[in-house]
Amino acid sequence: MRTSHAPMYDFRRRWASLGIAAATAASLLLGGHLSRAEPAGVDAHWYEAAQILVHRPGEEVFLGLLHPAAALFEDTFSLEGAAAEHRQFVATLENQGVEKVTHVVDVLLAGTEDPDGEARRALVGLAKRMTTLDVSSLGPADQEAQRAYFDETLAKMAPTTLVRMVLERPTVVLRYGQCGASEQRSCMLAEYRLNPLMNLYFARDQMVTTARGVVLGRMANPQRAAEREVMKFVLAKMGIETIYEISPDARLEGGDFFPAGERAFIGQGLRTNAAAIREMLDHDVFGTREVIVVKDAWQDPREMHLDTYFNLLDVDLALLVADRDMPDCDVRRSVKCLKADVWTRNAQGTYDLARKDVDFVRFLLEKGVRVLPVSVEDQGAYGINVLTIGPRRIIGAEGVSEAYKRALAASSVHATWVRFDNLRRGYGSADCITQVLRRRPPK
């Protein structure tokens, strides 16, 4: 497969592009928090979760708590509480048999203990790219001198400080001022600003993992645009090949994607647009016979991604919010009614439009998928945004109704409920905060 946007390299070339030699890459992959790289790829959403990438929220979230709406949060919350909930969630994943839970910060820090090592130099480079040094008000000679001083300072920084720079994205604005008691001595003054990655803990959104591998997306909101560079660095350091990168003119977020065996579902709505889906179809990244484009005309932030109103629990069982569980869209004429386009793969490896604007609910029934309707109230409690960790095995946010729990049990779904009282106020729950990089077929 050839693309005009992002050619496919093996992991050694990806490491080289970050300034890390293959020998160092291999040692990092085999030591510390990393292991020998396996190809990323997910054939079906209900397969057993084997490796999950997460990011525990830290100090980079703080400023978003001061104005939640501007940070794309639903409400303010306790940062300490969110971190504690995340730790408990990770412990639950491990207790439920997930083989490996990988943390973004662990990957960033891996191999950086050597002050002269290539992994550390690569982290310095990322930290520098995520930091702005504004010397525009200085004279030419001082601009050059201050840039050199900044580089010298970066080279001496502790790895944890470099990671904080990556996550908090500081800006340092330098200007001339008067210093000293008499205010007669000229000196350099600085103003400091932060533009942190407040939403990075929603690790599902920056990419999608198809049967073929990882596709790096493009975030719909400018507040989140810089997250993709961090995740691109992390994937490369893990030895995971990015098979395609969505172009700057398109928008793709991971919450809109579900692999489902011979087919894949992808939502087209508030956060993922038709241009991105067209690119994915044209470049054959799905690895499936069919691609189902689920078109959301409502486009409301309460159901911003496909996984906020639809989810797959098994080959023959899906969740769908009750007020979208309606066939015969042409009759009902509701903006919440879902239609879908069905694309089929041809011999040339591209996709042809086979069916347009089919009723999504009828399509599911046609394919033998039973819909379990979820009340609007339980959807609002993130009852659909559960993480499927195996066939009819889910982890979700506590707070849904007992009636919903009984309905799941009646469908032989084993559910584990954890507290997400703080995490979910960022506008997401168990599915949103995980990127499942590998799944295994059930035994």
Side-chain angles (χ1 to χ4, degrees), residues 52-278:
I52 297 177
L53 180 66
V54 298
H55 172 62
R56 182 172 299 136
E59 288 301 319
E60 76 279 357
V61 174
F62 167 71
L63 292 181
L65 304 178
L66 306 183
H67 195 293
L72 306 177
F73 294 163
E74 186 176 12
D75 200 355
T76 192
F77 54 88
S78 164
L79 176 55
E80 294 77 14
E85 290 166 5
H86 198 278
R87 283 191 290 271
Q88 182 58 48
F89 175 61
V90 169
T92 301
L93 292 174
E94 293 170 342
N95 290 337
Q96 291 290 322
V98 175
E99 295 175 20
K100 190 170 187 62
V101 180
T102 303
H103 292 261
V104 165
V105 170
D106 287 345
V107 177
L108 292 174
L109 289 174
T112 60
E113 299 85 356
D114 180 358
D116 299 316
E118 295 174 5
R120 190 185 187 286
R121 286 199 293 271
L123 181 58
V124 168
L126 178 64
K128 184 176 181 180
R129 294 195 298 276
M130 302 297 280
T131 302
T132 300
L133 179 68
D134 185 348
V135 294
S136 58
S137 68
L138 306 182
D142 283 333
Q143 288 186 16
E144 183 176 349
Q146 290 303 318
R147 290 192 185 101
Y149 175 72
F150 179 60
D151 288 345
E152 292 171 4
T153 302
L154 275 173
K156 295 182 288 187
M157 281 183 177
T160 52
T161 304
L162 295 170
V163 169
R164 186 166 182 174
M165 292 172 68
V166 170
L167 298 178
E168 298 189 13
R169 299 177 64 216
T171 293
V172 181
V173 183
L174 296 177
R175 61 180 176 84
Y176 298 120
Q178 299 296 322
C179 299
S182 65
E183 296 190 352
Q184 298 300 309
R185 184 169 59 85
S186 178
C187 65
M188 199 70 66
L189 300 179
E191 295 178 2
Y192 305 93
R193 296 193 294 268
L194 299 177
N195 190 15
L197 302 178
M198 296 173 283
N199 288 270
L200 188 66
Y201 77 90
F202 294 118
R204 178 163 161 83
D205 292 336
Q206 303 86 7
M207 66 196 87
V208 302
T209 305
T210 74
R212 289 257 165 94
V214 175
V215 176
L216 196 63
R218 295 274 178 180
M219 310 302 289
N221 296 91
Q223 297 98 316
R224 302 194 64 183
E227 294 174 29
R228 71 183 301 278
E229 182 171 0
V230 175
M231 287 304 201
K232 182 177 181 178
F233 182 97
V234 167
L235 290 170
K237 193 171 180 183
M238 293 173 69
I240 293 176
E241 180 182 6
T242 301
I243 63 170
Y244 186 72
E245 295 181 21
I246 297 298
S247 71
D249 297 328
R251 296 294 176 263
L252 169 70
E253 296 192 7
D256 281 311
F257 177 73
F258 288 99
E262 66 180 7
R263 63 183 56 88
F265 295 92
I266 186 161
Q268 176 183 314
L270 189 64
R271 296 290 182 87
T272 296
N273 63 16
I277 296 170
R278 182 73 257 182

Side-chain angles (χ1 to χ4, degrees), residues 263 290 292 342 355 358-370:
R263 63 183 56 88
E290 285 185 336
I292 316 304
V342 179
R355 301 167 65 186
V358 301
D359 286 346
F360 181 55
V361 175
R362 285 196 177 278
F363 176 83
L364 292 173
L365 297 173
E366 172 189 312
K367 298 300 179 182
V369 179
R370 181 169 66 87

Side-chain angles (χ1 to χ4, degrees), residues 278-294:
R278 182 73 257 182
E279 286 185 24
M280 296 173 74
L281 291 167
D282 288 346
H283 292 90
D284 194 22
V285 301
F286 290 103
T288 57
R289 185 177 61 82
E290 285 185 336
V291 174
I292 316 304
V293 180
V294 185

